[in-house]
Amino acid sequence: MIAALRPAVAIAAKFIPLHFGPASLLNLAKSSIVTKSDATASSHNRSSSMSLLRPLTSEAPDLPLLDVDFCGECLPLDQTDVVDRWKHVFTLFRPHASDLGDLRQRANVFFPIINPILEKYGIPDDFRYVPLAESALRPKAVSRAGAAGYWQLMPGTARDLGLKVGKRIDERFNVQKATDAACRYLRALYNQLGSWSLVAAAYNAGPGLLKNQLKRHDHRDYYRMSLPRETRYYLYRVLLYKEVMSRPNDYSSFLSPAPAQQTAFHFWRHTESLQAA
């Protein structure tokens, strides 16, 4: 039964990790170094010429909060928790913004192939950004759980949708056949859930979880549901790709801030502090 199908979790976490990684640890390490140096300086002769790292603090650019929608369903930026999640995924994506050029090149080849298939099944254009969040449009992408291809279909799901999955032939790597299968699945989900945002969530977590949520709540609002962390952020990640791919200039100040807006460090001497004092 299609209601029992459950695609794999998104592989594109490497683009937007939902946890703090080495980069954050590096920033913490820098802060620790500066703090230690300042503390050490106070115990030395203030006329010493020893050089230290000094932070140049400046205000980071704010994320522009523009009108955003998924398949005509508006992102409710009047809700504080929604704004926080939206800023969170953008902030985590910012170190990877330099990858957008390569991603755009792959999309220029990928989109013309899948757009007619989406139209054939009446799937809104915004779903073409789902494979970006799932696989970063890498055709041979395979997750640890065994999901594969642009759409990151699990073996059982793919077989139930009519694809051949084996050692010799794996049609999950065939862009036309995998997209056709994914679109049939998305259409079936919409027939069950009646909301494209809920369809996206179900693509990530499975329709069973979303149906249970609908039984528990008196609303059908994805943004207000109690969902697992990955699913709670999933649609934001898809929307992020939509925004940075369709209107990158609107977010350029946030994704590529001017050097003066970035946190920096420079060497200084104790004599500078004496003069400042």
Side-chain angles (χ1 to χ4, degrees), residues 3 49 58 69 169 173 175 177 203 260 267:
S49 61
S58 59
D69 74 273
I169 299 177
F173 298 117
V175 59
K177 292 183 178 181
Y203 190 84
F267 285 98

Side-chain angles (χ1 to χ4, degrees), residues 36-273:
K36 182 178 180 181
S37 299
D38 290 343
T40 305
S42 64
S43 64
H44 285 283
N45 190 323
R46 295 191 67 185
S47 61
S48 170
S49 61
M50 182 184 295
S51 298
L52 299 172
L53 274 175
R54 183 182 186 181
L56 289 175
T57 57
S58 59
E59 186 176 352
D62 290 331
L63 175 68
L65 299 179
L66 310 177
D67 290 337
V68 178
D69 74 273
F70 182 73
C71 307
E73 301 174 21
C74 293
L75 184 67
L77 292 174
D78 58 331
Q79 299 178 25
T80 302
D81 58 337
V82 171
V83 173
D84 289 343
R85 292 174 197 167
W86 189 228
K87 289 182 177 180
H88 182 67
V89 295
F90 258 93
T91 299
L92 292 177
F93 178 79
R94 181 158 51 180
H96 307 284
S98 59
D99 298 326
L100 278 174
D102 292 339
L103 188 61
R104 187 169 288 106
Q105 289 182 356
R106 294 195 292 273
N108 288 339
V109 176
F110 182 75
F111 285 166
I113 297 173
I114 73 165
N115 286 344
I117 303 174
L118 292 171
E119 183 178 0
K120 172 184 174 182
Y121 290 98
I123 308 299
D125 289 343
D126 285 353
F127 273 90
R128 66 182 181 171
Y129 299 103
V130 166
L132 277 72
E134 289 283 349
S135 65
L137 297 186
R138 298 187 184 279
K140 298 300 181 181
V142 179
S143 75
R144 293 179 181 179
Y150 290 108
W151 292 88
Q152 287 294 280
L153 295 170
M154 289 292 285
T157 302
R159 292 189 183 99
D160 287 340
L161 292 168
L163 297 181
K164 296 179 181 178
V165 179
K167 292 183 179 180
R168 295 183 58 186
I169 299 177
D170 193 335
E171 293 182 332
R172 293 178 296 172
F173 298 117
N174 182 303
V175 59
Q176 289 96 341
K177 292 183 178 181
T179 300
D180 190 274
C183 286
R184 285 186 277 113
Y185 181 56
L186 293 170
R187 171 50 62 183
L189 288 175
Y190 184 78
N191 292 341
Q192 297 173 39
L193 300 171
S195 164
W196 289 117
S197 59
L198 296 183
V199 167
Y203 190 84
N204 174 254
L209 186 144
L210 268 295
K211 288 180 178 179
N212 289 334
Q213 287 291 317
L214 292 175
K215 292 178 181 177
R216 292 172 54 189
H217 299 287
D218 59 354
H219 63 79
R220 304 175 61 82
D221 187 350
Y222 162 83
Y223 301 98
R224 295 165 54 199
M225 286 185 172
S226 301
L227 299 167
R229 179 176 175 81
E230 183 181 342
T231 307
R232 192 163 68 245
Y233 278 92
Y234 185 74
L235 187 52
Y236 294 86
R237 295 171 51 231
V238 174
L239 282 171
L240 179 144
Y241 279 101
K242 173 187 176 181
E243 290 296 291
V244 298
M245 294 292 287
S246 61
R247 46 179 180 178
N249 293 338
D250 291 342
Y251 298 94
S252 59
S253 62
F254 181 82
L255 295 176
S256 302
Q261 295 175 311
Q262 295 174 331
T263 301
F265 293 82
H266 80 143
F267 285 98
W268 68 299
R269 296 178 182 275
H270 285 260
T271 53
E272 294 181 21
S273 64

